[in-house]
């Protein structure tokens, strides 16, 4: 969830709650960061190859992948193979 989304929705809620009372309330960056910290809202940016993945395709294929993996006893995360090789 980005700052812009939180700021826009906050302004919409303020408008719905108080109408056209012409409040001069400013949802500053500090206020938004406090709001996100209080409610545990975090945003992540994907880098490299993971940024080009379409999540809907993964969600559709995930049950098939899990079914195939049930036949294996040991499954390793190959992203961290360099760490284990160095040890």
């Amino acid at each position: 969830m980005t700052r812009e989304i939180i700021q826009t929705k906050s302004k919409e809620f303020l408008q719905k709650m108080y109408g056209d009372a012409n409040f001069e309330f400013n949802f500053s960056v500090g206020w938004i960061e406090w709001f996100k910290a209080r409610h545990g809202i975090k945003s992540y940016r994907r880098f490299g190859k993971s940024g080009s993945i379409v999540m809907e395709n993964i969600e559709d294929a995930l049950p098939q992948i899990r079914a195939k993996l049930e036949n294996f006893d040991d499954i390793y995360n190959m992203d961290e193979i360099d760490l284990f090789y160095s040890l």
Side-chain angles (χ1 to χ4, degrees), residues 77-87:
N77 184 352
M78 298 307 286
D79 287 343
E80 300 169 359
I81 195 70
D82 184 46
L83 173 66
F84 293 115
Y85 177 75
S86 297
L87 292 175

Side-chain angles (χ1 to χ4, degrees), residues 12-76:
E12 288 176 15
F13 285 129
L14 184 67
Q15 177 71 27
K16 287 180 182 179
M17 288 173 58
Y18 297 105
D20 291 329
N22 199 6
F23 284 101
E24 294 294 325
F25 191 81
N26 183 15
F27 295 98
S28 66
V29 173
W31 183 90
I32 293 170
E33 291 302 317
W34 170 84
F35 181 85
K36 287 170 57 176
R38 182 175 182 188
H39 296 285
I41 299 171
K42 297 180 181 180
S43 59
Y44 299 96
R45 179 178 287 170
R46 288 188 242 155
F47 295 97
K49 294 179 185 175
S50 64
S52 63
I53 295 175
V54 179
M55 292 304 292
E56 290 80 22
N57 295 346
I58 292 174
E59 291 171 1
D60 294 340
L62 206 54
Q64 298 165 355
I65 294 170
R66 286 190 177 136
K68 290 179 181 179
L69 293 177
E70 286 178 0
N71 300 328
F72 297 98
D73 294 328
D74 296 323
I75 299 174
Y76 299 97

